[in-house]
């Protein structure tokens, strides 16, 4: 309360007001510019997560509710049985001797089409989310090829553009793909692999690779660069998938195999030698590197992805427990932000509609 004889401050002078408004205006403009920069509106050529995500919607068309990449897939559940051997590499509770960790996974085909024929691509994928008793998680998304075509998000983007369907033919233009490969010699090892790769007729017979490098830290604080892969255990090779196979051959094969018992993969960690590149997924490490068998992945059940437990999971490979961290591989942060853009789009669009692949495996199968 003002005393009777007190006077109010006389107010700001015109000059002071001008300064105040200028400062407020600058702050608002600065904030807007920061949003604009982050959103890529100020620099249309700058590579953003949304711009990469758009490449999975060729011609501006998408399949609402589905993952923007690896759209056709099936959920699986099971657990991981630790051997204890990887405890020397990472302090994660998952690698404690005799740990048994529940998991939710997803087996899938790369590509944005949830109705793609199983024989359309020679690559299959396996994503896993391990949930530890103390609430920590390890999420990993692996592909069935031992080497990635490109090393950087920019090259990935260029490859996506080069292999997009030509609006005139509806098919990728071989000349553009050839030109991309010619200007990207780092794709050589991948091209060599892809020449002999065949689309397998089973998810169960494939090995799946982390491709990116990560850093493991053990209880003594020793840090080492690693990659990992999962290798099928006791599963004889299956035939190649052919165009004659049913659209949902892979799902039906999985359901059939699980009705006979669980499927198993060995989780093998490869430890880098000093000097092995950790920032370049186009360069596999030599086979002679130390291999540590961390344990066994046991898959017991499958569920259609439109109502299964994997549907809403973002298998972001940067979600890691204590004792694991991302490396300096530039693909990892890019993957994290583009997966988030994909999750944002698909969850905003509503629930995935049942796909042909879903209907083939709409009941749970376990033994
Ligand atoms: C910059 C490079 C990459 C980009 C932009 C990219 C993009 C994407 C996107 C948008 C999704 C869908 C995510 C979702 O909606 O949940 C996805 C899924 C997936 N990606 Fe990548 N990816 C990249 C590199 C890789 C690499 C190197 C691997 C292999 C190790 C990989 C393996 C997978 C797998 C397995 C899935 C399916 C996950 C699931 O089943 O939900 N990706 N990717």
């Amino acid at each position: 309360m003002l005393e009777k004889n007190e006077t109010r401050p006389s107010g700001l002078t015109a000059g002071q007001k001008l300064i105040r408004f200028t400062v407020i205006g600058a702050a608002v403009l600065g904030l807007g510019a920061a949003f604009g920069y982050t959103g890529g509106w100020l620099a249309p050529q700058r590579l953003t997560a949304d711009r990469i995500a758009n490449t999975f919607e060729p011609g501006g068309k998408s399949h609402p509710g589905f993952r923007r990449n690896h759209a056709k897939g099936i959920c699986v559940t099971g657990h991981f049985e630790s051997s204890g051997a990887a405890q020397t590499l990472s302090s994660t509770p998952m690698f404690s001797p005799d740990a048994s960790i529940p998991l939710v996974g997803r087996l899938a085909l790369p590509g944005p089409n949830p109705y793609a024929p199983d024989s359309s691509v020679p690559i299959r994928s396996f994503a896993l989310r391990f949930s530890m008793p103390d609430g920590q998680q390890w999420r990993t998304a692996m592909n069935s090829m031992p080497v990635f075509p490109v090393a950087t998000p920019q090259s990935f983007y260029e490859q996506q553009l080069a292999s997009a369907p030509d609006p005139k033919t509806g098919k990728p233009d071989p000349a553009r793909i050839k030109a991309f490969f010619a200007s990207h010699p780092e794709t050589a090892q991948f091209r060599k692999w892809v020449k002999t790769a065949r689309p397998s007729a089973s998810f169960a017979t494939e090995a799946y690779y982390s491709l990116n490098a990560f850093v493991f830290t053990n209880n003594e604080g020793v840090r080492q660069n690693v990659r990992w892969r999962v290798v099928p255990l006791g599963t004889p090779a299956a035939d190649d998938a052919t165009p004659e196979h049913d659209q949902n051959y892979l799902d039906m094969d999985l359901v059939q195999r699980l009705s006979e018992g669980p499927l198993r993969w060995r989780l093998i960690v490869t430890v880098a030698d000093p000097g092995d590149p950790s920032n370049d997924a186009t360069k596999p490490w030599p086979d002679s590197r130390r291999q540590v068998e961390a344990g066994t992945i046991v898959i017991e059940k499958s569920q259609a992805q439109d109502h299964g437990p994997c549907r809403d999971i973002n298998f972001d490979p940067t979600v890691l427990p204590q004792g694991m961290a991302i490396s300096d591989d530039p693909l990892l942060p890019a993957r994290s932000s583009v997966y988030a853009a994909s999750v944002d789009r698909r969850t905003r669009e509503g629930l995935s509609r049942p796909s042909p692949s879903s209907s083939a495996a709409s009941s749970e199968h376990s033994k």
Side-chain angles (χ1 to χ4, degrees):
M1 285 284 277
L2 289 171
E3 293 297 323
K4 217 176 179 184
N5 58 352
E6 272 184 81
T7 49
R8 290 179 183 278
S10 59
L12 298 172
T13 64
Q16 284 169 323
K17 277 185 189 158
L18 188 67
I19 292 171
R20 190 169 283 189
F21 285 128
T22 309
V23 170
I24 292 169
V28 171
L29 279 177
L31 207 61
F35 273 111
Y37 179 79
T38 312
W41 310 317
L42 294 182
Q45 297 318 311
R46 198 166 62 81
L47 194 57
T48 60
D50 268 328
R51 201 156 285 138
I52 299 179
N54 291 344
T55 67
F56 297 112
E57 299 176 0
K61 293 198 190 93
S62 65
H63 294 274
F66 287 95
R67 283 166 166 81
R68 288 308 188 258
N69 195 11
H70 297 250
K72 185 181 186 185
I74 183 166
C75 298
V76 290
T77 48
H79 66 280
F80 171 72
E81 291 166 0
S82 172
S83 69
Q87 213 184 14
T88 55
L89 300 176
S90 166
S91 61
T92 173
M94 215 182 110
F95 290 161
S96 303
D98 301 326
S100 177
I101 305 294
L103 67 85
V104 176
R106 186 167 175 273
L107 290 153
L109 290 189
N113 180 4
Y115 310 109
D118 290 341
S119 59
S120 59
V121 54
I123 299 166
R124 282 78 179 87
S125 68
F126 199 2
L128 292 164
R129 185 193 66 186
F130 304 95
S131 300
M132 285 157 241
D134 62 0
Q136 295 191 65
Q137 292 188 355
W138 177 20
R139 301 189 197 178
T140 178
M142 300 168 284
N143 277 338
S144 66
M145 72 252 205
V147 60
F148 204 60
V150 292
T152 65
Q154 181 65 37
S155 301
F156 182 87
Y157 178 68
E158 286 167 20
Q159 184 186 9
Q160 286 289 108
L161 295 184
S163 48
D166 184 328
K168 283 186 211 132
T169 62
K171 291 189 176 137
D173 175 357
R176 286 179 71 193
I177 297 179
K178 207 172 155 197
F180 170 81
F181 283 138
S183 61
H184 285 270
E186 76 276 19
T187 56
Q189 294 227 42
F190 173 78
R191 277 183 285 145
K192 192 173 160 212
W193 173 82
V194 95
K195 268 189 196 145
T196 58
R198 300 277 171 272
S200 73
S202 176
F203 283 125
T205 55
E206 296 293 278
Y208 300 89
Y209 301 80
S210 76
L211 298 175
N212 299 122
F214 293 80
V215 182
F216 277 6
T217 306
N218 67 14
N219 282 316
E220 283 71 50
V222 177
R223 290 163 57 89
Q224 295 179 90
N225 290 336
V226 298
R227 285 174 173 151
W228 54 79
R229 66 188 190 280
V230 297
V231 179
L233 190 60
T235 316
D239 294 339
D240 297 342
T242 65
E244 289 73 47
H245 277 130
D246 182 87
Q247 274 261 0
N248 308 306
Y249 190 82
L250 288 173
D251 286 6
M252 290 195 302
D253 171 81
L254 186 76
V255 167
Q256 167 59 31
R257 285 173 189 264
L258 286 173
S259 73
E260 289 161 17
L263 295 168
R264 291 184 166 80
W265 281 263
R266 297 151 66 210
L267 171 61
I268 300 171
V269 180
T270 304
V271 185
D273 270 6
D276 287 340
S278 54
N279 62 355
D280 191 342
T282 69
K283 294 199 173 84
W285 299 334
D287 292 340
S288 56
R289 294 296 177 260
R290 185 154 77 100
Q291 312 280 328
V292 176
E293 191 158 334
T296 308
I297 284 153
V298 184
I299 298 300
E300 287 138 355
K301 294 180 184 175
S302 71
Q303 299 91 359
Q305 67 168 349
D306 55 312
H307 62 263
C310 72
R311 188 190 66 194
D312 298 331
I313 298 179
N314 175 1
F315 290 99
D316 175 345
T318 67
V319 176
L320 299 161
Q322 123 204 359
M324 299 186 187
I326 60 167
S327 68
D328 55 351
D329 186 331
L331 290 180
L332 283 169
R335 287 179 70 183
S336 182
S337 56
V338 182
Y339 289 25
S342 171
V343 171
D344 182 40
R345 292 178 191 196
R346 64 183 165 93
T347 51
R348 255 191 294 135
E349 290 157 352
L351 306 181
S352 302
R353 285 193 300 268
S355 70
S357 97
S358 307
S359 54
S362 55
S363 58
E364 286 201 347
H365 297 265
S366 67
K367 188 121 186 173

